[in-house]
Amino acid sequence: LALFGPAPGVPSCPHGPALLFVKTSQGRQEGRRFYACSACRDRKDCNFFQWEDEKVSETRLAAREEYNRNHQPSFTHRQNVDRYKNFVLLPLSKRRFCQECQQLLLPAEWEKHSDHQFLCNITTTQLKSPSQLLYPLENKKTNAQYLFADRSCKFLLNLLIDLGFRRVLSVGTPRLHEMIQLKASQEKEFSVRSLLLDIDFRYSQFYTEDEFCHYNMFNHHFFGGEAARETCRKFLYEENGERVIMVTDPPFGGLVEALASSFKKLMAMWNETEKEGHDNKEMPMFWIFPYFFESRILDFFPSFSMMDYQVDYDNHALYKHGKTGRRQSPVRIFTNLTPSMIVLPEEEGYRFCTICQRYVSSGNQHCEMCNSCTSKDGRRWKHCVLCKKCVKPSWVHCSNCNCCTLQKHSCEKSDVGCFVCGKAGHKRSACPSLS
């Protein structure tokens, strides 16, 4: 499968405009193009499919529109805001949350949910921490709500404050948004504001239309239409010198091309706010993603660099802090800010490399031949003279494959070319035929 950008007259599914893909088979360059859901890679989650050249009948179009309508949330954002106002006025004993429907319940609705599991006595603290109240949606490719651990969240927020940012566009980072909202409600002098853009509409129960926009980051679709788009545009307008940064934590199974396309559109929106000095500049950004996507991200954003800080998550079995060797979190911060500005905590073992002019993890030794701190995964890497680069400590040079690789590997793979064009020397993701 290869991705092509969204085109005019695109069909839609409940997740907004579909994306155009192409079926490819080994050695054959061009396959038949089709539309599929932008957000769900798994057909079980959204089975939308249409060949690009297919003529769709009026009846089927009407049925599709009806289907899309029926698969929208039962309340609008405005209704959810009103419901929240009423919910907060209730005494503690009447505040219920239905775990099955993931919904705050008003007393008149109890009967309808009588055979469901409730949480009772919902406190104001719980209402201000919805990411802990809501059940995480852990589908790796669509929602993947692995939520920042407290340590990483605090580090990010303190870093943003130290860097002088006063507005944070939180794209798929509900924990960070929540922490900012909570601090703003508790501390008078706290001046950071946040706007959450997220595909999880459940958050509309807890945040006003100025604090949350229902948004799909795979196709840059605002479900709230022009009004929501305007909310985002207004937020990006830098009043009184309040600098804006975008922080995003997409599902790791998502398509990098689609994400990059949306992020560029958000950057363009920031550029359009007509502030002096924006010319040819990029909106400051933190893209949080695993280190093994580095080359893909740099393809789309050459100005970005990867920081050594390991981001970890509360509800992810592998991505936890304090583990050693291969068990460390592979998740990093990619940013277009000057690396030397990103100060990493020395108490967690990070140190400043004066040659690279950036903070690196303790195991990341400077290689004189590469003239760089080369480790990506926190372990000390070794230099291979034949490959002319540093490689993972567990790799050895294979003369058959003419490169460093795992000790136990099958050399036959070296004969296999690119999956799209069949030629050797590159992988599918870097195939020139796709550009």
Side-chain angles (χ1 to χ4, degrees), residues 115-131:
D115 52 349
H116 293 178
Q117 293 278 145
F118 294 150
L119 281 178
C120 298
N121 303 334
I122 303 296
T123 63
T124 308
T125 311
Q126 283 174 295
L127 292 173
K128 289 200 184 298
S129 310
S131 72

Side-chain angles (χ1 to χ4, degrees), residues 416-434:
V416 176
C418 162
F419 186 74
V420 177
C421 68
K423 291 176 186 165
H426 62 265
K427 290 183 181 173
R428 177 185 68 78
S429 58
C431 181
S433 311
L434 295 182

Side-chain angles (χ1 to χ4, degrees), residues 46-278:
C46 179
N47 62 4
F48 180 84
F49 182 92
Q50 182 191 312
W51 293 111
E52 186 193 18
D53 51 12
E54 189 181 340
K55 289 276 174 277
V56 184
S57 68
E58 290 297 321
T59 319
R60 223 178 106 202
L61 276 176
R64 182 184 291 164
E65 276 179 30
E66 178 69 12
Y67 177 85
N68 289 351
R69 257 198 312 276
N70 292 340
H71 281 75
Q72 291 312 313
S74 45
F75 295 106
T76 64
H77 193 165
R78 176 65 48 85
Q79 286 170 324
N80 271 339
V81 171
D82 291 339
R83 288 165 55 78
Y84 182 84
K85 285 176 186 164
N86 292 330
F87 189 88
V88 176
L89 296 173
L90 295 170
L92 203 58
S93 60
K94 294 202 168 170
R95 289 189 192 174
R96 288 189 182 181
F97 177 76
C98 176
Q99 286 183 291
E100 238 154 287
C101 304
Q102 293 286 287
Q103 195 182 310
L104 296 173
L105 297 182
L106 296 170
E109 299 157 348
W110 290 0
E111 188 57 41
K112 218 165 76 182
H113 298 256
S114 57
D115 52 349
H116 293 178
Q117 293 278 145
F118 294 150
L119 281 178
C120 298
N121 303 334
I122 303 296
T123 63
T124 308
T125 311
Q126 283 174 295
L127 292 173
K128 289 200 184 298
S129 310
S131 72
Q132 297 183 26
L133 190 61
L134 298 168
Y135 185 78
L137 306 169
E138 292 180 1
N139 174 321
K140 283 185 179 54
K141 292 174 179 162
T142 315
N143 297 93
Q145 285 178 337
Y146 297 118
L147 303 162
F148 291 147
D150 209 42
R151 160 194 162 269
S152 286
C153 208
K154 280 179 177 153
F155 163 74
L156 278 169
L157 182 51
N158 291 333
L159 178 61
L160 297 174
I161 293 167
D162 292 345
L163 289 167
F165 292 105
R166 291 294 168 263
R167 299 214 195 150
V168 183
L169 185 67
S170 304
V171 184
T173 57
R175 270 274 159 94
L176 181 64
H177 175 72
E178 193 172 284
M179 191 175 268
I180 293 170
Q181 295 288 98
L182 194 60
K183 276 178 98 72
S185 69
Q186 290 169 346
E187 301 169 23
K188 271 210 171 90
E189 65 284 356
F190 186 78
S191 57
V192 181
R193 289 199 291 137
S194 171
L195 172 66
L196 176 64
L197 307 187
D198 205 292
I199 199 165
D200 187 352
F201 191 67
R202 297 176 304 171
Y203 284 106
S204 67
Q205 299 178 86
F206 305 91
Y207 299 123
T208 65
E209 288 146 307
D210 287 339
E211 297 165 337
F212 169 77
C213 294
H214 190 202
Y215 175 77
N216 180 348
M217 67 171 95
F218 290 104
N219 59 3
H220 187 58
H221 177 63
F222 285 88
F223 292 86
E226 199 44 51
R229 196 179 283 273
E230 193 49 42
T231 298
C232 183
R233 204 178 281 122
K234 263 183 19 210
F235 184 83
L236 293 175
Y237 184 79
E238 299 185 350
E239 270 176 315
N240 314 323
E242 288 189 342
R243 291 171 64 218
V244 175
I245 185 167
M246 173 176 151
V247 182
T248 182
D249 180 34
F252 303 150
L255 284 164
V256 176
E257 298 91 319
L259 293 167
S261 165
S262 294
F263 299 160
K264 284 185 171 169
K265 284 171 185 160
L266 287 169
M267 283 179 161
M269 211 187 246
W270 174 80
N271 263 318
E272 284 161 18
T273 56
E274 290 176 16
K275 277 312 229 187
E276 290 163 28
H278 272 197

Side-chain angles (χ1 to χ4, degrees), residues 282-305:
E282 282 182 339
M283 169 164 66
M285 181 169 152
F286 283 170
W287 178 343
I288 292 155
F289 226 51
Y291 70 79
F292 35 83
F293 284 101
E294 183 181 21
S295 62
R296 302 289 295 125
I297 291 177
L298 299 188
D299 281 347
F300 295 102
F301 293 106
S303 64
F304 279 36
S305 47

